[in-house]
Amino acid sequence: LEHYAEGVGGENATTRRRVVEGIADLADLFAAAGDETLERALAAIGAQLLVEQEVELQNALSSALVQLSQLAADGRHYGALKQAMVQISTLAHDRPDIANALRPRIGMESRVPHLIEEALKKSTVPQHLLEVLKEMPRAAALQTANQFNQATEKDRSDRVFALANALGPDTADVLRETLRSSPDSEALLT
């Protein structure tokens, strides 16, 4: 599957088109193959999306990136999810229109509450999950603060606090900025 996905970078446009269509058809197999296979497929798709000139192929590559990203999120393949976010960040520099169109389709911001909950359930938060959350510092910080405010047991509040620390200084920076710039009612909730 990994070698197949690399075919999206082939020289022949017809071959690239067939490979992208095949990835869409085999998406469930890519997800079942696991994190590393999904990571490599997402990296190959993202790399080709950076250079693809044909609009039809850009659309097909975009759809494949979204499909595999959603499968990665649904299957808790955090390394692949991180790779998807890296690809979007890379696209944002060179092809911002494509990146801006992909972000809402992948829907990572809407998954943050679920990801935070996943992190809080684990005794040790997987590194890739932390990296995914760090890619969305504002959403992660606000959701972490929300979880802290809702915690009624000391163990839960300790886990939320540990997660906030693991997310790093960006979390504290976001919360400080929210306190400074938000209306009083919103600032109280953070």
Side-chain angles (χ1 to χ4, degrees):
L1 287 174
E2 293 170 12
H3 293 295
Y4 183 79
E6 291 171 2
V8 298
E11 290 188 28
N12 183 295
T14 302
T15 302
R16 290 195 309 272
R17 184 175 299 105
R18 287 183 182 153
V19 170
V20 173
E21 290 169 359
I23 289 173
D25 292 341
L26 300 172
D28 289 335
L29 286 176
F30 278 93
D35 210 30
E36 191 172 315
T37 301
L38 273 172
E39 278 184 65
R40 289 186 180 174
L42 286 162
I45 292 167
Q48 184 59 32
L49 199 47
L50 275 173
V51 297
E52 185 59 58
Q53 296 302 311
E54 290 191 31
V55 174
E56 182 182 320
L57 276 170
Q58 288 175 0
N59 291 336
L61 288 161
S62 295
S63 293
L65 188 73
V66 168
Q67 185 178 18
L68 292 183
S69 298
Q70 290 174 344
L71 287 170
D74 292 344
R76 297 182 180 107
H77 298 291
Y78 302 123
L81 202 52
K82 169 69 174 160
Q83 180 62 244
M85 296 183 78
V86 165
Q87 295 306 318
I88 297 296
S89 293
T90 302
L91 284 166
H93 289 104
D94 297 326
R95 296 188 119 169
D97 293 342
I98 293 174
N100 290 336
L102 288 173
R103 278 193 181 102
R105 290 176 57 198
I106 293 173
M108 284 308 302
E109 296 270 329
S110 65
R111 294 178 187 267
V112 170
H114 173 72
L115 294 172
I116 294 288
E117 191 58 42
E118 282 293 312
L120 293 173
K121 287 180 184 176
K122 311 260 184 210
S123 59
T124 304
V125 181
Q127 186 61 37
H128 286 305
L129 177 52
L130 279 175
E131 290 171 7
V132 167
L133 290 169
K134 286 178 181 180
E135 288 287 323
M136 303 172 285
R138 179 165 176 70
L142 294 176
Q143 185 60 34
T144 303
N146 185 41
Q147 289 291 325
F148 188 81
N149 289 336
Q150 293 176 3
T152 57
E153 299 172 3
K154 183 176 179 352
D155 180 56
R156 175 78 173 186
S157 60
D158 288 347
R159 284 191 315 230
V160 174
F161 185 74
L163 176 60
N165 281 333
L167 289 172
D170 287 345
T171 300
D173 293 344
V174 167
L175 293 175
R176 264 189 228 89
E177 183 57 33
T178 301
L179 286 171
R180 283 187 202 119
S181 64
S182 298
D184 291 342
S185 59
E186 185 181 329
L188 281 172
L189 296 175
T190 57

